[in-house]
Amino acid sequence: MTSELDRVEHEVESHSVALKKPLGLRDLVLTQILFVVGSSWVGTAAKLGPSHLFFWLLAIVLFYIPQAAVVIYLNRLMPLEGGLYQWAKFGFNEFVGFIVAWNLWLLSITVIALGGMFVTTNLSYAIGEAAYWMPNSKWCVSLISCALVAGLGWTGIRGLSLGKWVHNIGAFAMLLVYGALIALPFISLARGELKQYQPLQIVAPTISIFYCFNIFSKLAVGGLSGFEYVAILAGETRAPARDIGRSVIIASPVIAVMFILGTSSVLAFIGNNQIDLIGPVPQTLRLGLRSFPIAGAIASVGILLMTVRSISSTSVHLTGSSRLPMVAGWDQLLPGWFSRLHPRYKTPINSIIFVGAVTLAIAIASQVGAGIQEAFQLVDNAANVFYGIVYLVLFAIPIAGAGAIRSGAPIWLRVAAFCGFAVSLLAVCFTVYPIIDVPSRLIFAAKIIGVSVIANVIGVTIFVLAKRRRAAVR
């Protein structure tokens, strides 16, 4: 089995030779921070109130640390372009590899579709009250989504020699904004505007346990997820076996601190008021800076930096989602059209164009018949189902995967993988339950289940047809 694994790994590496390799350790660390630290999760966690720290720590112990450990282990064994697609394919079989890649691809295009909502919301906060209509205008969100996808598509075609700078700038913007967000309560406390501030207090939940564990599952599989994503770009990394694992180790404590203290800041200024789940950071910056003489200008700069971060994070998703069809094309599970590289930039140009077109269709369709907050929750919950399926497979590999892969996994890693698997399963079950008020919870749940089932039936159908086509050619 080991010699067979070596052979198929060599085949993947032979395809990767044509790809440029511009990514170093610094780029990977910044991309991890950019990709994992979403701006909305501190708002979601703040809905737990003062008990958020308990649930953040629970998610870190049961999901975040297991995820990091499994990703480091699998990447050292198989530092291959396509990342989790290759791990699942070699760990189980081609069908599992394809379905996990399909769900990861679906996750990315739904997140890219949400990019227009995030950018529109942030711009409305940056401009001020005169622009508060923008996020509720379906035409405005659709136009901004079109501009975003077109711009990122052009950057994606140019390749990671340019794209890594888009990602690095976005990460620095995120660090600056979160630095301001975390510092703001301490400044307000010193100025006497806050009577007290205890960012690290552990408090028992005061609301329903069902509701709390619903949000906990979202914080884990939604907020603290993403370490495996940069492994998709292993073939475009100078030293993937070494640097991808190192990037996880360096970035993980920074990310945890940003989430926990960022949530405390949101609570300090918004409290029991309604939290904007799409833009909690700009909402908090506006409230926290309102007493400063140039509060509007300072807040607008911070919010524009968050917009830069949103654009950069969307670029990471577009980059990864264009590589998955490319590697599936190498295995003849998709037409070779998806694997064709740009003659100059060596990027999968056809795959990038396809991802952009599908993304725009989803972005516009998600606006039909729903308010902005409900549309956000609908698409976001569907993405959580896709990601939950991905993580179920990821954590299953060290437990039940091929002997050549799981044999080297120590017992503590298998226990950690089991914890991560359980949390992922919980997250999938909770996705049908919204954390905001919607006209009909039953219809909302039906939409999520329907989208998830139909999407995966399509994936299975594509795989079956591809296998028949490949067999006929042979």
Side-chain angles (χ1 to χ4, degrees):
M1 177 63 189
T2 302
S3 59
E4 175 66 13
L5 182 61
D6 290 339
R7 184 188 66 79
V8 290
E9 282 188 9
H10 180 72
E11 289 180 4
V12 176
E13 289 168 350
S14 67
H15 286 293
S16 301
V17 169
L19 303 173
K20 294 184 178 181
K21 295 171 175 54
L23 299 180
L25 178 59
R26 179 196 61 188
D27 306 311
L28 294 170
V29 171
L30 291 173
T31 302
Q32 295 281 24
I33 293 171
L34 168 70
F35 188 78
V36 177
V37 184
S39 58
S40 66
W41 295 111
V42 290
T44 302
K47 293 181 75 67
L48 293 168
S51 64
H52 74 88
L53 179 58
F54 170 79
F55 287 99
W56 272 126
L57 294 176
L58 192 65
I60 287 170
V61 171
L62 297 181
F63 182 85
Y64 190 56
I65 293 174
Q67 172 202 177
V70 171
V71 168
I72 291 170
Y73 173 75
L74 293 175
N75 181 74
R76 283 176 180 168
L77 283 178
M78 298 170 282
L80 303 171
E81 183 81 0
L84 184 52
Y85 165 74
Q86 308 290 3
W87 304 344
K89 182 178 73 177
F90 298 143
F92 292 107
N93 52 54
E94 223 172 32
F95 173 74
V96 175
F98 184 84
I99 292 302
V100 81
W102 173 252
N103 278 275
L104 195 54
W105 185 80
L106 289 173
L107 162 79
S108 283
I109 62 171
T110 51
V111 171
I112 298 168
L114 289 175
M117 293 186 192
F118 280 113
V119 171
T120 305
T121 300
N122 286 349
L123 287 176
S124 70
Y125 277 115
I127 296 169
E129 292 184 7
Y132 283 177
W133 59 272
M134 291 174 61
N136 293 306
S137 169
K138 295 174 182 178
W139 282 106
C140 183
V141 174
S142 297
L143 287 173
I144 289 176
S145 296
C146 289
L148 178 66
V149 172
L152 293 181
W154 176 80
T155 303
I157 291 171
R158 291 291 303 273
L160 285 167
S161 297
L162 172 63
K164 71 176 185 178
W165 293 108
V166 175
H167 306 160
N168 292 351
I169 290 169
F172 279 119
M174 170 67 85
L175 289 168
L176 284 173
V177 172
Y178 263 77
L181 179 70
I182 291 168
L184 202 52
F186 295 100
I187 296 172
S188 296
L189 191 64
R191 287 164 56 94
E193 294 166 4
L194 286 179
K195 294 182 179 179
Q196 61 177 359
Y197 178 56
Q198 297 176 300
L200 297 177
Q201 63 177 149
I202 297 181
V203 179
T206 56
I207 48 183
S208 92
I209 294 297
F210 178 83
Y211 182 82
C212 288
F213 275 98
N214 185 357
I215 295 183
F216 156 76
S217 69
K218 289 176 170 56
L219 296 183
V221 179
L224 291 172
S225 56
F227 281 141
E228 83 297 328
Y229 204 84
V230 297
I232 294 174
L233 307 175
E236 295 164 84
T237 301
R238 289 192 286 271
R242 180 192 66 191
D243 286 348
I244 290 177
R246 286 184 178 180
S247 73
V248 173
I249 294 170
I250 295 170
S252 54
V254 177
I255 292 166
V257 169
M258 291 171 71
F259 271 135
I260 291 171
L261 294 183
T263 304
S264 296
S265 294
V266 172
L267 273 176
F269 292 105
I270 300 179
N272 295 323
N273 297 320
Q274 185 172 4
I275 298 170
D276 185 340
L277 292 179
I278 303 176
V281 174
Q283 183 186 21
T284 304
L285 290 175
R286 276 281 178 196
L287 291 171
L289 292 168
R290 60 188 170 187
S291 64
F292 285 72
I294 53 170
I298 297 172
S300 293
V301 170
I303 294 164
L304 287 174
L305 287 173
M306 284 301 298
T307 306
V308 171
R309 179 267 161 196
S310 294
I311 293 170
S312 299
S313 179
T314 305
S315 175
V316 177
H317 274 286
L318 189 142
T319 302
S321 62
S322 64
R323 270 52 175 185
L324 291 171
M326 177 184 73
V327 295
W330 291 348
D331 292 333
Q332 299 179 338
L333 295 176
L334 288 178
W337 181 85
F338 286 98
S339 301
R340 290 177 189 168
L341 302 180
H342 190 282
R344 178 179 177 185
Y345 301 118
K346 303 303 178 184
T347 53
I349 180 170
N350 293 337
S351 184
I352 292 169
I353 293 171
F354 180 78
V355 167
V358 172
T359 296
L360 283 180
I362 294 174
I364 295 170
S366 68
Q367 298 290 313
V368 177
I372 181 102
Q373 294 281 346
E374 185 183 349
F376 168 74
Q377 279 286 297
L378 179 61
V379 178
D380 188 55
N381 278 27
N384 276 351
V385 175
F386 303 142
Y387 220 179
I389 293 170
V390 166
Y391 274 107
L392 288 173
V393 175
L394 173 71
F395 289 120
I397 296 172
I399 301 171
I405 295 173
R406 74 172 188 272
S407 60
I411 186 65
W412 68 264
L413 182 66
R414 297 185 190 187
V415 172
F418 179 81
C419 292
F421 186 93
V423 173
S424 302
L425 185 61
L426 182 69
V428 171
C429 294
F430 268 130
T431 49
V432 299
Y433 190 86
I435 60 173
I436 62 164
D437 291 329
V438 295
S440 171
R441 293 189 185 278
L442 184 61
I443 293 175
F444 185 91
K447 287 180 180 178
I448 298 296
I449 294 170
V451 167
S452 304
V453 170
I454 292 171
N456 276 282
V457 167
I458 292 171
V460 172
T461 302
I462 293 172
F463 177 82
V464 171
L465 293 176
K467 290 282 283 187
R468 289 177 180 174
R469 183 175 62 249
R470 192 172 66 182
V473 171
R474 290 177 178 174

